[in-house]
Amino acid sequence: MPKSSFFLMMVKILVFVHHTGLLPTLGKIIERLFLLQLNKWLDRNNIIHHNQYGFREGKSCDLAIHHLIETIKIRMPSEHLALVSLDIKSAFDTMNWPVLFKTLESYGFPAFFKNFIYFYPKNRRVFYTNDVLEISRSCSKGCPQGSVIAPTIWNIYINSILINDRPDLHIQAFADDLVLLIGGRTARELENKTNLILAAISDKLEDLELKLSIEKCQAVVYRSIASQKFSKRNSTVLNRKPTFKIKNHSIKAKNMVGLSWVKAHVGIPGNELADQQAELAITSGEKFVIPAPYSHLKGLLKNYIVNKWNEY
């Protein structure tokens, strides 16, 4: 039997068991083998965008945050920035299968991969059972939860959102969590650009049969460092929180963040005195050993300081 026919036969067996919520050992093995081949093809053809940090080898949440912070640092000196986090409503549960199959076609997936993924969600049913009755409904959308290959299928599905040719827009994702970073020289420019981009992203998501949970979307505005040199009347200064909109629903900036220099300890009497006392504490006094763990001593000192503060 050809290898492709064997895999398709196995995935049909897997689907039959999977819709009852059970995944046999054989099914797990088949999924894992298929995923290895799928990831090789995706990497070889550079399909998944490099700004997708979820469910990918060599990527992580820490790297996503680091990349975002470094991008902010680079752009913040010369422009205001709007950081917008977008929440996709019931993302994994609303993945549209016909749209998924069209997406596979658009990326030129080989027939073997397309057939496997086509049969994978086919004939699924959702069951609800209690002491009185059992109800089942056919399932025609969603990304199978608990599956080995489901996260990668989701990354393929959402990949088009990350494809961006605008130099003023940085977009990255961690699975279904999206974040946009938009720049503008003036407050009005930032607001207008952000609203246009949000409308475009919303339209792209609708093409994928996905919707935003607007009440969960948030925004933060970063003032440019250069704007601190100008008068408050200058248009480059953010005198108000910009209002961002998605489909006529407003997302107000939660806060406005700026950078400013903080003086060093030198020359400030209070800080100088604190430094002197700290040095005395480690260089003078009677040495003694407390028969208790460091963590216990630290807790006692903390409670003592808090009590003294409350008594003051």
Side-chain angles (χ1 to χ4, degrees):
M1 179 184 295
K3 181 174 69 173
S4 59
S5 300
F6 170 77
F7 268 95
L8 289 177
M9 181 184 72
M10 289 296 101
V11 80
K12 290 178 182 179
I13 297 173
L14 174 62
V15 166
F16 174 76
V17 181
H18 210 281
H19 71 252
T20 63
L22 301 175
L23 188 62
T25 301
L26 177 61
K28 294 178 182 178
I29 295 172
I30 293 171
E31 281 195 3
R32 183 63 63 183
L33 291 173
F34 176 78
L35 182 61
L36 289 173
Q37 296 301 317
L38 178 61
N39 281 334
K40 285 181 182 178
W41 188 86
L42 291 172
D43 292 341
R44 187 166 58 247
N45 292 276
N46 198 27
I47 299 296
I48 304 299
H49 198 279
H50 61 272
N51 280 345
Q52 172 60 267
Y53 286 85
F55 309 125
R56 299 185 67 195
E57 187 176 354
K59 300 281 189 177
S60 67
C61 185
D62 290 342
L63 285 176
I65 294 171
H66 174 75
H67 186 200
L68 187 60
I69 291 174
E70 290 302 311
T71 305
I72 291 172
K73 286 180 179 179
I74 292 170
R75 297 180 59 177
M76 193 173 171
S78 59
E79 58 183 342
H80 302 308
L81 297 173
L83 180 67
V84 185
S85 70
L86 300 179
D87 183 89
I88 301 175
K89 189 174 183 179
S90 303
F92 286 88
D93 294 332
T94 55
M95 186 185 73
N96 184 280
W97 294 348
V99 174
L100 170 64
F101 302 145
K102 289 180 181 178
T103 301
L104 299 178
E105 290 284 351
S106 68
Y107 287 126
F109 274 71
F112 168 64
F113 292 128
K114 288 190 295 184
N115 290 337
F116 189 102
I117 296 173
Y118 173 78
F119 282 109
Y120 187 71
K122 193 175 182 182
N123 296 328
R124 289 185 180 272
R125 299 186 69 82
V126 178
F127 288 83
Y128 173 77
T129 305
N130 59 26
D131 295 335
V132 179
L133 52 82
E134 178 181 292
I135 301 174
S136 69
R137 294 286 185 272
S138 61
C139 184
S140 59
K141 62 181 179 180
C143 201
Q145 300 294 308
S147 162
V148 174
I149 66 174
T152 300
I153 291 176
W154 170 261
N155 282 350
I156 296 168
Y157 189 78
I158 199 72
N159 193 61
S160 61
I161 300 296
L162 297 174
I163 299 173
N164 163 50
D165 57 2
R166 294 189 59 141
D168 54 350
L169 169 63
H170 171 79
I171 179 169
Q172 66 183 60
F174 189 87
D176 59 328
D177 295 318
L178 299 175
V179 64
L180 315 178
L181 187 67
I182 304 112
R185 192 182 64 84
T186 67
R188 181 172 295 179
E189 180 182 281
L190 179 66
E191 190 171 83
N192 291 339
K193 276 187 178 181
T194 302
N195 287 333
L196 287 173
I197 289 170
L198 286 174
I201 295 294
S202 180
D203 289 340
K204 278 188 173 184
L205 288 170
E206 287 183 0
D207 290 340
L208 296 175
E209 300 293 333
L210 298 172
K211 294 182 180 180
L212 288 171
S213 182
I214 297 176
E215 64 276 6
K216 294 182 180 179
C217 298
Q218 298 184 17
V220 177
V221 174
Y222 294 83
R223 289 188 181 93
S224 71
I225 297 174
S227 70
Q228 298 176 24
K229 301 177 182 178
F230 296 101
S231 163
K232 289 185 178 180
R233 294 182 179 180
N234 193 292
S235 61
T236 60
V237 178
L238 290 170
N239 295 319
R240 62 175 177 83
K241 292 182 180 180
T243 300
F244 305 129
K245 294 183 178 181
I246 303 175
K247 302 295 183 183
N248 296 321
H249 295 279
S250 296
I251 305 175
K252 285 194 175 181
K254 297 290 182 182
N255 203 350
M256 291 195 287
V257 181
L259 293 181
S260 60
W261 291 106
V262 179
K263 294 181 180 179
H265 287 192
V266 178
I268 300 177
N271 287 336
E272 292 281 7
L273 181 60
D275 287 343
Q276 293 171 12
Q277 295 300 317
E279 186 174 354
L280 284 173
I282 62 173
T283 58
S284 62
E286 184 179 350
K287 185 177 181 180
F288 62 99
V289 177
I290 300 176
Y294 171 75
S295 58
H296 177 68
L297 178 61
K298 185 178 178 182
L300 291 177
L301 290 173
K302 180 181 178 182
N303 291 334
Y304 175 79
I305 293 170
V306 171
N307 291 334
K308 284 296 182 182
W309 173 263
N310 291 331
E311 292 172 3
Y312 181 73

